[in-house]
Amino acid sequence: MMGGKSEAGRGEAIRLVVSDVDGTLVDKKKRLTPATIDAVGKLRDAGVGFTIISARPRSGMMPIADTLEIDAPMGAFNGGTVFRRDGSVMCQHFIDRKVVEGMFTLAKDVNADVWVFADDRWYASTDQGEHVEHERIASDQEPVVTSDFTAFFDRADKITFVSDDAKILADLHTSAKPFGDKATIMQSQTYYLDVTALAANKGDGITLLAKAMHTPLAVTCAIGDQANDVPMFARAGLSIAMGQGPAEVRAKADEVTASNDADGVARAISRIILGDQP
């Protein structure tokens, strides 16, 4: 069989699946389950392309790519860097320096940890805390602790403000609205506020990936769980939200699958994309 069957009523079979990683492709412990690995293999057998797009840096995507044998272009930093598993970089967008300076000014007295990703390294204001532990897995590297990030202002791929206080990040997000025409500022998780280049958003990212794989967006499926996935939902021919995602995100998708801890991607591939019977 060539191509997958979509139940979304779009007529044409899905030819490419683009999946978010954290909260979507991997479970809460950041692991690929056997069911997900098997499902991606079934996509390949069916002639359907598969790739990933994530807020993660390249280093954190490589173990996923190796396990799933993804040789297609992938999108790190929400699509700000498009690269292949062999290490070649197809495009890379840095955050505008004025935005970087402005965000650090806004966050000067904000009680949030700061991470800056630059030069394929992760620089952090602290190496302690639960989210740091999770990021060690997600980025597949150790943080370089620093209190001075100015050396990276010209070449920052991503800035992440980290806090479990939802109001702190919400207020910072609101304060950052004047930079909305110069950068992409969105939450990749409820406790992360990410700042990336203007072109580094999953809407532009999925467009680049589909074009690189010579696949129309109309026959491309996007799977994700958070607000930063909604821009790719809007462009893909078929969008699938994870069951544990926020209600407002699920409302933007064509379909909703199970949670990431219940093999939601594997179920979506089987039921929705390949049309297997329960």
Side-chain angles (χ1 to χ4, degrees):
M1 179 180 72
M2 291 299 293
K5 293 182 291 184
S6 164
E7 295 180 356
R10 281 159 173 71
E12 291 187 80
I14 292 299
R15 289 167 42 195
L16 171 63
V17 176
V18 180
S19 177
D20 169 50
V21 176
D22 295 292
T24 301
L25 192 66
V26 297
D27 64 16
K28 288 181 181 177
K29 293 184 178 180
K30 310 288 187 183
R31 302 173 305 189
L32 285 167
T33 66
T36 298
I37 296 170
D38 181 63
V40 173
K42 288 180 178 178
L43 274 182
R44 186 179 297 112
D45 293 342
V48 181
F50 180 85
T51 192
I52 51 179
I53 187 168
S54 175
R56 290 186 180 196
R58 289 194 295 162
S59 60
M61 297 175 71
M62 286 301 294
I64 303 290
D66 287 340
T67 300
L68 298 178
E69 300 179 352
I70 301 173
D71 290 319
M74 296 172 279
F77 302 120
N78 296 329
T81 299
V82 176
F83 69 104
R84 291 183 180 272
R85 189 155 60 111
D86 63 9
S88 59
V89 175
M90 300 173 65
C91 68
Q92 184 173 18
H93 300 280
F94 299 126
I95 309 168
D96 185 297
R97 183 186 174 97
K98 291 182 179 178
V99 174
V100 177
E101 293 172 344
M103 289 303 302
F104 271 90
T105 298
L106 289 174
K108 183 178 180 181
D109 298 317
V110 172
N111 186 23
D113 294 334
V114 182
W115 300 344
V116 172
F117 296 84
D119 302 334
D120 290 323
R121 297 303 304 272
W122 166 32
Y123 299 91
S125 57
T126 178
D127 61 358
Q128 302 297 309
E130 179 184 9
H131 299 306
V132 170
E133 291 304 312
H134 290 167
E135 188 62 24
R136 280 189 168 100
I137 299 171
S139 66
D140 197 33
Q141 61 176 286
E142 287 291 316
V144 178
V145 178
T146 182
S147 59
D148 183 1
F149 298 92
T150 54
F152 316 111
F153 278 15
D154 284 321
R155 56 186 189 278
D157 292 296
K158 183 176 74 167
I159 305 168
T160 300
F161 297 96
V162 185
S163 176
D164 285 316
D165 188 326
K167 187 175 187 305
I168 283 177
L169 293 186
D171 289 348
L172 182 57
H173 196 177
T174 299
S175 299
K177 283 187 177 179
F179 299 120
D181 62 342
K182 297 182 179 66
T184 299
I185 306 172
M186 300 192 74
Q187 288 187 251
S188 58
Q189 299 292 336
T190 56
Y191 36 81
Y192 295 155
L193 179 64
D194 290 341
V195 182
T196 52
L198 186 62
N201 67 83
K202 290 189 178 179
D204 288 348
I206 195 172
T207 300
L208 281 172
L209 294 175
K211 183 177 180 180
M213 297 177 72
H214 310 290
T215 306
L217 283 168
V219 290
T220 297
C221 171
I223 309 178
D225 71 308
Q226 289 293 331
N228 66 334
D229 296 309
V230 172
M232 69 174 177
F233 286 0
R235 300 201 193 187
L238 173 65
S239 56
I240 303 174
M242 303 302 292
Q244 88 287 350
E248 58 270 23
V249 173
R250 287 184 272 123
K252 297 289 187 181
D254 298 312
E255 299 274 354
V256 177
T257 186
S259 73
N260 64 321
D261 263 3
D263 289 321
V265 168
R267 294 187 185 200
I269 288 172
S270 176
R271 180 180 68 84
I272 303 171
I273 299 168
L274 297 180
D276 294 341
Q277 294 301 311

